[in-house]
Amino acid sequence: MTDRVEAVVIGGGFGGLLTGARLREAGVQQIRMIDEGGDFGGTWYWNRYPGIHCDIESTVYLPLLEEVGYVPQWRYAPGEEIRQHAIAIARKFDLYSDTMFHTRVTGLTWDEENAEWRVTTDRGDHFRSRYVVISSGTLTQPKLPGIPGIEDYRGHTFHTSRWDYGYTGGDQTGGLEKLAGRKVAVVGTGATGVQVIPHLARDAEHLYVFQRTPSSVDVRDNRPIDPRWAASLQPGWQRERMENFLTIVTGGHADVDMIDDRWTSTAKLQRQMLTGSVDTNICAEDLDEMADFRKMDEIRERIDAVVQDRAVAEILKPWYRYMCKRPTFSDFYLETFNRPAVTLVDTADHGGITRMTASSVVVGEQEYEVDCVIFATGFEVGISGVLSGTLPVAGRGGMPLLGHWRNGPRTLHGFYSHGFPNLFHLGSLQNAAAVNFVHVLQEQATHIGALVGEAENRGARWIEPTAEAEEDWAATIFRTAPKNFAFQSECTPGYYNGEGNPRPVNFMYGPGPVAFHELLRTWRADGHMDEVLR
Ligand code: NAP
């Protein structure tokens, strides 16, 4: 393509879709959505493993339900329902017309004279756009473990985010009939492993589960959404539920807990992860430790109640504090270990799998011959393609964005930087994060849509914060970002605590997402757009 569009949105996950929708509402005509996948959905495009579900309640996780006119069928939606909803949003807001799928943006260069971005891709495109929005995701790059000998293994392998149904048979609901007669290894017992393992156990001749750190596995209690309840919903219902959920899980007060699940009931314990400790008051800390201990004991007791083999039950018990690792939920996972054809292999004493040979996985001196190894080993945690260096951006005067950010990101509200007009970032960068990240993305998309809409109304040439505004926001982030890492540093390694090296979260607005969203609304209402529109 060598044409010119009004807006480019990089990333077709919910962040990109929400921005596309808001830009469409703001009157932008030519919106070019670009994604490396072959369709919309982002993480739900790539992750299609058997058992995939979202463990945030679907009524608050799936965005724009009222706009699209849909009420989810399940309290915790299966992946395919979520992916179809992403497609429905794209259709509703006519976001397919200019798409570029299977395409990676390789460079963005600001053209001062024409006040537009020059965009290049890995397929030789070279086109222009007035606005660019980057929403390239945070957990996108599949991570394989550095097990010695992993390259010598001659059996079949794949990562859960690239499921090989040609090898296993079946689909996302299970029925992996081609695994009959095959010995299968699965590495990893995080949120993905917990969902996939019951299906593998049902269909493989034998399943070896290689565990390094046990997950905390709480009750799931999934159920269909009552159509009578769905029919009773009044306009505005989704916003109300989303706000209610966000308020409660970030430690705020709400008179009613509308979602009332395992996320909302453990809100206080989640707060300690974000802030390091809830309070400097010793008594309050003690109370939190007791609540934490009780919660984790409840999770350990459930294992004793379900798993018949005492030794296996002990291996499955998480010993660390709640939220040290991402909590998981399942009503099938623990039962799996009562099956005779399932072996739980504890690798903790060896720091993980020792090595792999041409035909086996080895832990200590014990070899396990398997036909297939499935890696449920998670993702590299990045902020966006920009910070990882894979998407070079040159702003005014050819200034590289990473050069401008050499001492850390510099933005106003996490969205845009001085010297990089009409370029916006979505994600957790100098703003706020939450367990329901789609809610955060929705507020971000709304803000960008409002800025672009106003710029178009006024005929502004560009949207760009001043250097002073950027400095002020950096100072606000520095002042308010959580600085107490007592909680995280005691945690077992994982991506929540930088694999055991908790770093200052200088990307986070300390007061949290509810306050951040209010700050954005007030900023817009108080006429501050004047300061960024030229
Ligand atoms: P993950 O949470 O990073 O878990 C990776 C697993 O692989 C861990 O059990 C880890 O063990 C294990 N592992 C890594 N290297 C290993 C090695 N060398 N030897 C043995 N074990 C090894 O990845 P994930 O389960 O794919 O989940 C990633 C994130 O995706 C989640 O936290 C969540 O944010 C999201 N997710 C969400 C849902 C949902 O329902 N909303 C579902 C799935 C995933 P250690 O713990 O010992 O490191």
Side-chain angles (χ1 to χ4, degrees), residues 43-44 47 49 51-56 61 76-77 82 139 143-148 159-161 186-195 210-215 220 263 319-320 325-329 347-348 351-354 375-381 435 492-496 499:
T43 198
W44 303 102
N47 284 276
Y49 56 81
I52 183 166
H53 278 70
C54 183
D55 58 20
I56 311 289
Y61 180 81
Y76 301 98
I82 302 172
L139 294 170
K143 191 165 72 174
L144 292 177
I147 301 169
H159 187 273
T160 45
S161 67
V186 60
V187 183
T189 53
T192 301
V194 164
Q195 292 185 340
F210 291 87
Q211 173 192 282
R212 188 165 61 186
T213 314
S215 271
R220 170 65 309 161
W263 286 110
W319 63 82
Y320 45 82
K325 283 195 171 289
R326 188 185 190 282
T328 74
F329 309 87
T347 71
I353 291 163
T354 309
F375 293 103
T377 43
F379 303 86
E380 299 288 350
V381 180
V435 59
T492 183
Y495 81 91
Y496 268 20
E499 301 296 338

